[in-house]
Amino acid sequence: MKASPRALTGRLLLSVGTLIAGFLVVTQVQAQSQTPAEALDAAWLQVCAQATPGTDFHARCQDILNAGPGSGDRRSAAAIGSNLGVFAAQIKIARSSFARRAASKAGQRRESDDGLGLDGDSDDALWRSERWGLFASAYSTEVERPESRFENAFDSDVWGATLGADYRFSPNLVGLFSVGLRRNDARFGGDRGRMKEDAQGYGFALYGSIGEHFGWQASVGRESLDYDTARRIRFSLVRNAGTPDENIVNVDFLATAAMGGRHDEASISGDWSWYRGAWSLRSGLGADYSKVSVDPFSEVNGGGLEIRFGRRASKSLRGSASLELSRTASASWGVWTPYFRLDWFREYRDDGRVLPAFFAGDPTNTRIGFASGAPDRSFGNAGIGISTVHPGGWQWFLGVDRSIANSILTETRVNFGFRKSL
């Protein structure tokens, strides 16, 4: 059997980004059903009651509370303009991407795909002479999410790379260690904001086989996360309508924030293989656990409408099923194996959440909250690719994956890499 650095790479490198699960301001009683505009519209009177005169926060409260005809529904216009729902969707980028790669077990043990050669290299002299291997891989991902009731649309570009080493303890057991980095650049529709995430991580994995048909994999990993966010606060209101003091208030600020975090993950899976000539069919089942913690932070330069959050964490537990069909062919330069893979995922833990938040300029620290919508409970992934084995211990792979039946987002990923036996 065989095992793969690519599987660990995917698990380790893409997350992530759980950034700010969302500035969806809500009251505790109404949090589950209100949109950002509805929730903040209902909260203005309470949060502005004790605003300190002379502060930016007080000025914004006066603009909003004294808005008259021509301003829409008085306070909701400002709520919409503040774009408090901008970052809620971002948690889906991290989890969907992470779970899809972490749970895509089929094909990890192909000799040409992962380069660990557990199936064919059972000869005692061979595995003892080629115990070590070095591998590297890289990927580029595009993520798109349409507008939803609670969250804004966004486009995200993610790229990452990993470098690692593997060691063969026996013909049927291989261990891996890898380090990697990732950059996520998300742009929210309508010039509503932006988020950049940088991650650096490491991970360990074991891949093994029992007999000719059964394989198993287990891994753990950790990433450190750094985020930079920008949230557009833009709206217009008519103050003191119908009086000599009537005037139009235009508000346009770009609230920014920087924060850190951590992503921990673990996974386990097994698969069963059937062979017929050069054809092989693998089916697998797996489970993946992920926890993302984000440090406390407060926005700045928001014209008085900056938001402050405490420390928070989100967790995900996903099951997966996979099926892969591949065929091995020989050529003068080596062996090549094209494959087609289907994966299906089921989320059991992440239901979306409501967590406390505060306006940074509110002296009374009135407790409000932010909420994120729940992710798609069940969705899939389809992938095609090719892997090759060359003389001298070189192995290469190239693959393309695409999310399917996911109502939350669409994700397309290209990945490639190599391994060299030592």
Side-chain angles (χ1 to χ4, degrees), residues 257-317:
M259 76 288 296
R262 190 177 75 184
H263 171 212
D264 297 305
E265 63 88 14
S267 67
I268 187 170
S269 68
D271 58 71
W272 187 264
S273 302
W274 292 265
Y275 305 98
R276 186 178 182 85
W279 292 91
S280 66
L281 182 68
R282 287 187 171 94
S283 61
L285 296 174
D288 303 276
Y289 174 80
S290 173
K291 178 181 179 181
V292 181
S293 302
V294 180
D295 298 333
F297 78 94
S298 180
E299 291 180 315
V300 296
N301 302 321
L305 295 179
E306 300 88 351
I307 298 292
R308 173 170 58 87
F309 284 97
R311 181 178 176 82
R312 61 207 182 280
S314 57
K315 300 177 182 179
S316 174
L317 177 63

Short mmCIF file of all heavy atoms in Angstrom, two decimals, residues 257-317:
data_model
loop_
_atom_site.label_atom_id
_atom_site.label_comp_id
_atom_site.label_asym_id
_atom_site.label_seq_id
_atom_site.Cartn_x
_atom_site.Cartn_y
_atom_site.Cartn_z
N ALA A 257 -8.59 45.89 11.60
CA ALA A 257 -8.23 45.14 12.81
C ALA A 257 -7.16 44.12 12.46
O ALA A 257 -7.04 43.69 11.31
CB ALA A 257 -9.45 44.44 13.41
N ALA A 258 -6.38 43.76 13.46
CA ALA A 258 -5.38 42.70 13.33
C ALA A 258 -5.49 41.81 14.55
O ALA A 258 -5.66 42.29 15.68
CB ALA A 258 -3.97 43.27 13.22
N MET A 259 -5.45 40.51 14.34
CA MET A 259 -5.56 39.58 15.45
C MET A 259 -4.85 38.28 15.10
O MET A 259 -4.50 38.02 13.95
CB MET A 259 -7.03 39.32 15.82
CG MET A 259 -7.80 38.41 14.90
SD MET A 259 -8.19 39.13 13.29
CE MET A 259 -9.26 40.47 13.77
N GLY A 260 -4.65 37.45 16.11
CA GLY A 260 -4.01 36.15 15.90
C GLY A 260 -4.94 35.03 16.33
O GLY A 260 -6.03 35.26 16.86
N GLY A 261 -4.51 33.83 16.08
CA GLY A 261 -5.32 32.67 16.45
C GLY A 261 -4.55 31.38 16.27
O GLY A 261 -3.34 31.38 15.98
N ARG A 262 -5.25 30.28 16.45
CA ARG A 262 -4.64 28.96 16.36
C ARG A 262 -5.65 27.97 15.81
O ARG A 262 -6.84 28.05 16.10
CB ARG A 262 -4.16 28.50 17.74
CG ARG A 262 -3.29 27.26 17.70
CD ARG A 262 -2.81 26.92 19.10
NE ARG A 262 -3.86 26.33 19.92
CZ ARG A 262 -3.72 26.03 21.20
NH1 ARG A 262 -2.59 26.30 21.83
NH2 ARG A 262 -4.72 25.48 21.87
N HIS A 263 -5.16 27.05 14.99
CA HIS A 263 -6.00 26.02 14.41
C HIS A 263 -5.41 24.66 14.75
O HIS A 263 -4.27 24.35 14.39
CB HIS A 263 -6.07 26.20 12.89
CG HIS A 263 -6.74 25.07 12.18
ND1 HIS A 263 -6.39 24.68 10.91
CD2 HIS A 263 -7.73 24.24 12.56
CE1 HIS A 263 -7.14 23.65 10.53
NE2 HIS A 263 -7.96 23.37 11.53
N ASP A 264 -6.16 23.82 15.45
CA ASP A 264 -5.76 22.46 15.79
C ASP A 264 -6.67 21.48 15.08
O ASP A 264 -7.89 21.71 14.97
CB ASP A 264 -5.85 22.22 17.30
CG ASP A 264 -4.89 23.10 18.08
OD1 ASP A 264 -3.69 23.06 17.78
OD2 ASP A 264 -5.36 23.83 18.97
N GLU A 265 -6.11 20.40 14.58
CA GLU A 265 -6.92 19.41 13.87
C GLU A 265 -6.38 18.02 14.09
O GLU A 265 -5.22 17.81 14.42
CB GLU A 265 -6.97 19.73 12.37
CG GLU A 265 -5.62 19.68 11.67
CD GLU A 265 -5.26 18.30 11.14
OE1 GLU A 265 -6.15 17.43 11.08
OE2 GLU A 265 -4.09 18.11 10.81
N ALA A 266 -7.28 17.04 13.93
CA ALA A 266 -6.92 15.63 14.01
C ALA A 266 -7.85 14.85 13.09
O ALA A 266 -9.00 15.24 12.89
CB ALA A 266 -7.04 15.11 15.44
N SER A 267 -7.35 13.78 12.52
CA SER A 267 -8.18 12.97 11.61
C SER A 267 -7.76 11.52 11.68
O SER A 267 -6.62 11.19 12.04
CB SER A 267 -8.07 13.48 10.17
OG SER A 267 -6.77 13.26 9.66
N ILE A 268 -8.70 10.66 11.32
CA ILE A 268 -8.44 9.23 11.24
C ILE A 268 -9.33 8.65 10.15
O ILE A 268 -10.46 9.12 9.95
CB ILE A 268 -8.69 8.53 12.59
CG1 ILE A 268 -8.25 7.06 12.52
CG2 ILE A 268 -10.15 8.66 13.01
CD1 ILE A 268 -8.24 6.38 13.87
N SER A 269 -8.84 7.66 9.42
CA SER A 269 -9.64 7.07 8.36
C SER A 269 -9.11 5.69 8.00
O SER A 269 -7.99 5.31 8.37
CB SER A 269 -9.63 7.96 7.11
OG SER A 269 -8.35 7.97 6.53
N GLY A 270 -9.93 4.96 7.29
CA GLY A 270 -9.53 3.66 6.76
C GLY A 270 -10.13 3.47 5.38
O GLY A 270 -11.14 4.09 5.04
N ASP A 271 -9.50 2.61 4.55
CA ASP A 271 -10.06 2.35 3.23
C ASP A 271 -9.81 0.91 2.82
O ASP A 271 -8.91 0.22 3.33
CB ASP A 271 -9.48 3.31 2.19
CG ASP A 271 -7.98 3.23 2.08
OD1 ASP A 271 -7.46 2.22 1.58
OD2 ASP A 271 -7.30 4.19 2.50
N TRP A 272 -10.63 0.45 1.92
CA TRP A 272 -10.60 -0.91 1.41
C TRP A 272 -10.43 -0.87 -0.10
O TRP A 272 -11.09 -0.10 -0.77
CB TRP A 272 -11.89 -1.65 1.77
CG TRP A 272 -11.85 -3.11 1.44
CD1 TRP A 272 -12.31 -3.71 0.32
CD2 TRP A 272 -11.31 -4.16 2.24
NE1 TRP A 272 -12.11 -5.06 0.36
CE2 TRP A 272 -11.48 -5.38 1.54
CE3 TRP A 272 -10.69 -4.21 3.48
CZ2 TRP A 272 -11.06 -6.60 2.04
CZ3 TRP A 272 -10.28 -5.43 3.99
CH2 TRP A 272 -10.46 -6.61 3.26
N SER A 273 -9.53 -1.70 -0.64
CA SER A 273 -9.20 -1.65 -2.07
C SER A 273 -9.52 -2.96 -2.76
O SER A 273 -9.35 -4.04 -2.19
CB SER A 273 -7.70 -1.35 -2.24
OG SER A 273 -7.34 -0.14 -1.61
N TRP A 274 -9.99 -2.82 -4.01
CA TRP A 274 -10.20 -3.97 -4.89
C TRP A 274 -9.32 -3.79 -6.12
O TRP A 274 -9.16 -2.66 -6.61
CB TRP A 274 -11.66 -4.05 -5.34
CG TRP A 274 -12.63 -4.39 -4.27
CD1 TRP A 274 -13.12 -5.62 -3.95
CD2 TRP A 274 -13.27 -3.46 -3.38
NE1 TRP A 274 -14.01 -5.52 -2.92
CE2 TRP A 274 -14.12 -4.21 -2.54
CE3 TRP A 274 -13.19 -2.07 -3.20
CZ2 TRP A 274 -14.90 -3.63 -1.55
CZ3 TRP A 274 -13.95 -1.49 -2.21
CH2 TRP A 274 -14.79 -2.26 -1.40
N TYR A 275 -8.78 -4.87 -6.64
CA TYR A 275 -7.89 -4.80 -7.80
C TYR A 275 -8.36 -5.78 -8.88
O TYR A 275 -8.80 -6.89 -8.58
CB TYR A 275 -6.45 -5.16 -7.41
CG TYR A 275 -5.90 -4.32 -6.27
CD1 TYR A 275 -5.91 -4.81 -4.97
CD2 TYR A 275 -5.40 -3.05 -6.52
CE1 TYR A 275 -5.42 -4.04 -3.93
CE2 TYR A 275 -4.90 -2.27 -5.49
CZ TYR A 275 -4.92 -2.77 -4.19
OH TYR A 275 -4.43 -2.01 -3.17
N ARG A 276 -8.25 -5.33 -10.11
CA ARG A 276 -8.54 -6.18 -11.26
C ARG A 276 -7.62 -5.75 -12.39
O ARG A 276 -7.87 -4.75 -13.06
CB ARG A 276 -10.00 -6.10 -11.68
CG ARG A 276 -10.38 -7.10 -12.78
CD ARG A 276 -11.86 -7.00 -13.12
NE ARG A 276 -12.25 -7.96 -14.13
CZ ARG A 276 -12.61 -9.22 -13.88
NH1 ARG A 276 -12.61 -9.66 -12.63
NH2 ARG A 276 -12.95 -10.03 -14.87
N GLY A 277 -6.57 -6.51 -12.60
CA GLY A 277 -5.58 -6.14 -13.59
C GLY A 277 -4.93 -4.81 -13.22
O GLY A 277 -4.46 -4.61 -12.10
N ALA A 278 -4.92 -3.88 -14.17
CA ALA A 278 -4.34 -2.57 -13.92
C ALA A 278 -5.30 -1.61 -13.23
O ALA A 278 -4.92 -0.50 -12.85
CB ALA A 278 -3.88 -1.95 -15.24
N TRP A 279 -6.55 -2.05 -13.04
CA TRP A 279 -7.56 -1.20 -12.42
C TRP A 279 -7.58 -1.39 -10.91
O TRP A 279 -7.34 -2.49 -10.41
CB TRP A 279 -8.94 -1.50 -12.99
CG TRP A 279 -9.11 -1.10 -14.42
CD1 TRP A 279 -8.87 -1.88 -15.51
CD2 TRP A 279 -9.53 0.16 -14.91
NE1 TRP A 279 -9.11 -1.19 -16.67
CE2 TRP A 279 -9.53 0.07 -16.33
CE3 TRP A 279 -9.92 1.36 -14.31
CZ2 TRP A 279 -9.90 1.14 -17.13
CZ3 TRP A 279 -10.29 2.42 -15.12
CH2 TRP A 279 -10.28 2.31 -16.50
N SER A 280 -7.91 -0.34 -10.20
CA SER A 280 -8.12 -0.43 -8.75
C SER A 280 -9.28 0.46 -8.36
O SER A 280 -9.52 1.51 -8.96
CB SER A 280 -6.86 -0.03 -7.98
OG SER A 280 -6.56 1.33 -8.17
N LEU A 281 -10.01 0.03 -7.35
CA LEU A 281 -11.14 0.77 -6.81
C LEU A 281 -10.99 0.82 -5.30
O LEU A 281 -10.85 -0.22 -4.65
CB LEU A 281 -12.47 0.10 -7.19
CG LEU A 281 -13.74 0.81 -6.71
CD1 LEU A 281 -13.91 2.14 -7.44
CD2 LEU A 281 -14.96 -0.08 -6.93
N ARG A 282 -11.01 2.02 -4.73
CA ARG A 282 -10.84 2.19 -3.29
C ARG A 282 -12.04 2.90 -2.71
O ARG A 282 -12.51 3.90 -3.24
CB ARG A 282 -9.57 2.99 -2.99
CG ARG A 282 -8.28 2.22 -3.20
CD ARG A 282 -7.08 3.03 -2.71
NE ARG A 282 -5.87 2.24 -2.70
CZ ARG A 282 -4.98 2.19 -3.69
NH1 ARG A 282 -5.21 2.88 -4.79
NH2 ARG A 282 -3.91 1.44 -3.58
N SER A 283 -12.52 2.41 -1.59
CA SER A 283 -13.58 3.07 -0.83
C SER A 283 -13.06 3.35 0.57
O SER A 283 -12.28 2.57 1.12
CB SER A 283 -14.83 2.19 -0.77
OG SER A 283 -14.54 0.96 -0.12
N GLY A 284 -13.47 4.46 1.15
CA GLY A 284 -12.95 4.83 2.46
C GLY A 284 -13.97 5.54 3.32
O GLY A 284 -14.95 6.11 2.83
N LEU A 285 -13.74 5.49 4.64
CA LEU A 285 -14.53 6.21 5.63
C LEU A 285 -13.56 6.95 6.56
O LEU A 285 -12.48 6.43 6.87
CB LEU A 285 -15.41 5.27 6.45
CG LEU A 285 -16.51 4.52 5.70
CD1 LEU A 285 -17.19 3.53 6.63
CD2 LEU A 285 -17.55 5.51 5.15
N GLY A 286 -13.93 8.15 6.99
CA GLY A 286 -13.04 8.91 7.84
C GLY A 286 -13.79 9.87 8.73
O GLY A 286 -14.99 10.10 8.57
N ALA A 287 -13.07 10.45 9.69
CA ALA A 287 -13.61 11.47 10.58
C ALA A 287 -12.52 12.51 10.82
O ALA A 287 -11.34 12.17 10.96
CB ALA A 287 -14.07 10.87 11.90
N ASP A 288 -12.92 13.79 10.88
CA ASP A 288 -11.99 14.89 11.06
C ASP A 288 -12.53 15.86 12.10
O ASP A 288 -13.70 16.24 12.06
CB ASP A 288 -11.79 15.65 9.75
CG ASP A 288 -11.31 14.74 8.63
OD1 ASP A 288 -10.10 14.51 8.56
OD2 ASP A 288 -12.17 14.25 7.87
N TYR A 289 -11.66 16.24 13.03
CA TYR A 289 -12.03 17.21 14.06
C TYR A 289 -11.17 18.45 13.91
O TYR A 289 -9.95 18.36 13.69
CB TYR A 289 -11.81 16.61 15.45
CG TYR A 289 -12.03 17.59 16.57
CD1 TYR A 289 -13.32 17.90 16.99
CD2 TYR A 289 -10.96 18.21 17.19
CE1 TYR A 289 -13.53 18.80 18.02
CE2 TYR A 289 -11.15 19.12 18.22
CZ TYR A 289 -12.44 19.41 18.64
OH TYR A 289 -12.64 20.31 19.65
N SER A 290 -11.78 19.62 14.04
CA SER A 290 -11.06 20.88 13.88
C SER A 290 -11.53 21.88 14.93
O SER A 290 -12.73 21.98 15.20
CB SER A 290 -11.30 21.45 12.47
OG SER A 290 -10.74 22.74 12.34
N LYS A 291 -10.57 22.60 15.51
CA LYS A 291 -10.89 23.67 16.45
C LYS A 291 -10.07 24.89 16.10
O LYS A 291 -8.84 24.82 16.00
CB LYS A 291 -10.59 23.26 17.89
CG LYS A 291 -10.86 24.37 18.91
CD LYS A 291 -10.52 23.93 20.32
CE LYS A 291 -10.77 25.05 21.32
NZ LYS A 291 -10.42 24.63 22.71
N VAL A 292 -10.74 26.03 15.91
CA VAL A 292 -10.07 27.28 15.61
C VAL A 292 -10.35 28.27 16.72
O VAL A 292 -11.51 28.52 17.06
CB VAL A 292 -10.53 27.86 14.26
CG1 VAL A 292 -9.79 29.15 13.96
CG2 VAL A 292 -10.30 26.84 13.15
N SER A 293 -9.30 28.82 17.32
CA SER A 293 -9.41 29.82 18.38
C SER A 293 -8.88 31.14 17.87
O SER A 293 -7.81 31.19 17.25
CB SER A 293 -8.60 29.38 19.61
OG SER A 293 -9.04 28.12 20.08
N VAL A 294 -9.63 32.23 18.11
CA VAL A 294 -9.24 33.56 17.67
C VAL A 294 -9.09 34.45 18.90
O VAL A 294 -9.95 34.48 19.78
CB VAL A 294 -10.27 34.17 16.71
CG1 VAL A 294 -9.84 35.56 16.26
CG2 VAL A 294 -10.45 33.25 15.50
N ASP A 295 -7.97 35.18 18.99
CA ASP A 295 -7.67 36.03 20.13
C ASP A 295 -8.60 37.25 20.18
O ASP A 295 -9.17 37.64 19.15
CB ASP A 295 -6.22 36.51 20.08
CG ASP A 295 -5.24 35.36 20.14
OD1 ASP A 295 -5.60 34.31 20.72
OD2 ASP A 295 -4.13 35.51 19.60
N PRO A 296 -8.73 37.90 21.35
CA PRO A 296 -9.53 39.13 21.44
C PRO A 296 -8.96 40.21 20.52
O PRO A 296 -7.77 40.27 20.26
CB PRO A 296 -9.39 39.54 22.91
CG PRO A 296 -8.99 38.29 23.63
CD PRO A 296 -8.16 37.50 22.66
N PHE A 297 -9.85 41.08 20.01
CA PHE A 297 -9.39 42.17 19.16
C PHE A 297 -10.42 43.28 19.15
O PHE A 297 -11.58 43.11 19.55
CB PHE A 297 -9.13 41.70 17.73
CG PHE A 297 -10.39 41.52 16.92
CD1 PHE A 297 -10.87 42.53 16.10
CD2 PHE A 297 -11.10 40.33 16.99
CE1 PHE A 297 -12.03 42.38 15.37
CE2 PHE A 297 -12.27 40.16 16.25
CZ PHE A 297 -12.74 41.19 15.44
N SER A 298 -9.98 44.47 18.71
CA SER A 298 -10.88 45.60 18.54
C SER A 298 -10.51 46.32 17.25
O SER A 298 -9.33 46.49 16.94
CB SER A 298 -10.76 46.57 19.72
OG SER A 298 -11.64 47.68 19.55
N GLU A 299 -11.52 46.74 16.50
CA GLU A 299 -11.29 47.51 15.29
C GLU A 299 -10.81 48.92 15.64
O GLU A 299 -11.05 49.43 16.74
CB GLU A 299 -12.57 47.61 14.47
CG GLU A 299 -13.03 46.32 13.83
CD GLU A 299 -14.29 46.51 13.05
OE1 GLU A 299 -15.23 47.17 13.55
OE2 GLU A 299 -14.36 46.00 11.91
N VAL A 300 -10.17 49.56 14.67
CA VAL A 300 -9.78 50.97 14.80
C VAL A 300 -10.21 51.70 13.53
O VAL A 300 -10.53 51.08 12.51
CB VAL A 300 -8.25 51.12 15.00
CG1 VAL A 300 -7.82 50.48 16.31
CG2 VAL A 300 -7.49 50.51 13.83
N ASN A 301 -10.23 53.04 13.60
CA ASN A 301 -10.53 53.90 12.45
C ASN A 301 -11.91 53.66 11.88
O ASN A 301 -12.12 53.78 10.67
CB ASN A 301 -9.47 53.71 11.35
CG ASN A 301 -8.07 54.01 11.85
OD1 ASN A 301 -7.87 54.94 12.62
ND2 ASN A 301 -7.11 53.20 11.42
N GLY A 302 -12.87 53.33 12.74
CA GLY A 302 -14.23 53.09 12.28
C GLY A 302 -15.17 54.26 12.50
O GLY A 302 -16.40 54.08 12.40
N GLY A 303 -14.65 55.42 12.83
CA GLY A 303 -15.50 56.60 12.99
C GLY A 303 -16.45 56.50 14.17
O GLY A 303 -17.48 57.17 14.18
N GLY A 304 -16.12 55.67 15.16
CA GLY A 304 -16.98 55.50 16.32
C GLY A 304 -17.78 54.21 16.32
O GLY A 304 -18.36 53.83 17.35
N LEU A 305 -17.83 53.50 15.20
CA LEU A 305 -18.61 52.27 15.11
C LEU A 305 -17.72 51.03 15.10
O LEU A 305 -18.08 49.99 14.56
CB LEU A 305 -19.50 52.29 13.87
CG LEU A 305 -20.59 53.38 13.87
CD1 LEU A 305 -21.39 53.33 12.58
CD2 LEU A 305 -21.50 53.22 15.09
N GLU A 306 -16.56 51.13 15.71
CA GLU A 306 -15.67 49.97 15.82
C GLU A 306 -16.29 48.91 16.73
O GLU A 306 -16.97 49.22 17.70
CB GLU A 306 -14.30 50.38 16.39
CG GLU A 306 -13.57 51.41 15.56
CD GLU A 306 -13.91 52.83 15.93
OE1 GLU A 306 -14.86 53.03 16.73
OE2 GLU A 306 -13.24 53.76 15.43
N ILE A 307 -16.02 47.65 16.40
CA ILE A 307 -16.54 46.52 17.17
C ILE A 307 -15.38 45.87 17.93
O ILE A 307 -14.26 45.78 17.44
CB ILE A 307 -17.20 45.48 16.25
CG1 ILE A 307 -18.40 46.09 15.53
CG2 ILE A 307 -17.63 44.24 17.03
CD1 ILE A 307 -19.55 46.42 16.44
N ARG A 308 -15.67 45.41 19.15
CA ARG A 308 -14.68 44.71 19.97
C ARG A 308 -15.20 43.32 20.31
O ARG A 308 -16.35 43.15 20.68
CB ARG A 308 -14.41 45.50 21.26
CG ARG A 308 -13.54 44.80 22.27
CD ARG A 308 -13.15 45.76 23.40
NE ARG A 308 -14.31 46.32 24.06
CZ ARG A 308 -14.94 45.73 25.08
NH1 ARG A 308 -14.54 44.54 25.51
NH2 ARG A 308 -15.97 46.33 25.64
N PHE A 309 -14.32 42.32 20.20
CA PHE A 309 -14.67 40.94 20.50
C PHE A 309 -13.73 40.37 21.56
O PHE A 309 -12.55 40.74 21.61
CB PHE A 309 -14.55 40.04 19.26
CG PHE A 309 -15.69 40.20 18.29
CD1 PHE A 309 -15.56 41.04 17.19
CD2 PHE A 309 -16.87 39.52 18.48
CE1 PHE A 309 -16.60 41.19 16.29
CE2 PHE A 309 -17.92 39.67 17.58
CZ PHE A 309 -17.78 40.50 16.49
N GLY A 310 -14.22 39.45 22.36
CA GLY A 310 -13.38 38.68 23.25
C GLY A 310 -12.87 37.43 22.54
O GLY A 310 -13.13 37.20 21.37
N ARG A 311 -12.12 36.64 23.27
CA ARG A 311 -11.60 35.39 22.72
C ARG A 311 -12.76 34.45 22.42
O ARG A 311 -13.74 34.39 23.15
CB ARG A 311 -10.65 34.73 23.71
CG ARG A 311 -10.05 33.42 23.19
CD ARG A 311 -9.07 32.84 24.22
NE ARG A 311 -8.57 31.56 23.78
CZ ARG A 311 -7.58 31.39 22.93
NH1 ARG A 311 -6.96 32.46 22.43
NH2 ARG A 311 -7.17 30.19 22.57
N ARG A 312 -12.64 33.71 21.31
CA ARG A 312 -13.70 32.79 20.95
C ARG A 312 -13.13 31.61 20.19
O ARG A 312 -12.01 31.66 19.67
CB ARG A 312 -14.76 33.49 20.10
CG ARG A 312 -14.22 34.03 18.79
CD ARG A 312 -15.04 35.20 18.33
NE ARG A 312 -14.58 35.71 17.06
CZ ARG A 312 -13.52 36.50 16.93
NH1 ARG A 312 -12.82 36.83 17.98
NH2 ARG A 312 -13.16 36.95 15.75
N ALA A 313 -13.89 30.54 20.16
CA ALA A 313 -13.44 29.32 19.49
C ALA A 313 -14.61 28.69 18.75
O ALA A 313 -15.76 28.82 19.15
CB ALA A 313 -12.86 28.34 20.50
N SER A 314 -14.31 28.02 17.65
CA SER A 314 -15.31 27.28 16.89
C SER A 314 -14.79 25.87 16.63
O SER A 314 -13.59 25.67 16.45
CB SER A 314 -15.62 27.99 15.57
OG SER A 314 -14.45 28.17 14.81
N LYS A 315 -15.70 24.91 16.62
CA LYS A 315 -15.32 23.51 16.46
C LYS A 315 -16.12 22.87 15.34
O LYS A 315 -17.27 23.25 15.08
CB LYS A 315 -15.55 22.75 17.77
CG LYS A 315 -14.75 23.29 18.94
CD LYS A 315 -15.08 22.54 20.22
CE LYS A 315 -14.31 23.10 21.40
NZ LYS A 315 -14.62 22.39 22.67
N SER A 316 -15.50 21.89 14.70
CA SER A 316 -16.15 21.16 13.62
C SER A 316 -15.80 19.69 13.73
O SER A 316 -14.66 19.34 14.02
CB SER A 316 -15.70 21.70 12.26
OG SER A 316 -16.22 20.93 11.19
N LEU A 317 -16.79 18.84 13.53
CA LEU A 317 -16.58 17.39 13.46
C LEU A 317 -17.28 16.88 12.22
O LEU A 317 -18.49 17.02 12.08
CB LEU A 317 -17.14 16.70 14.71
CG LEU A 317 -17.03 15.17 14.71
CD1 LEU A 317 -15.56 14.72 14.69
CD2 LEU A 317 -17.74 14.58 15.92
#
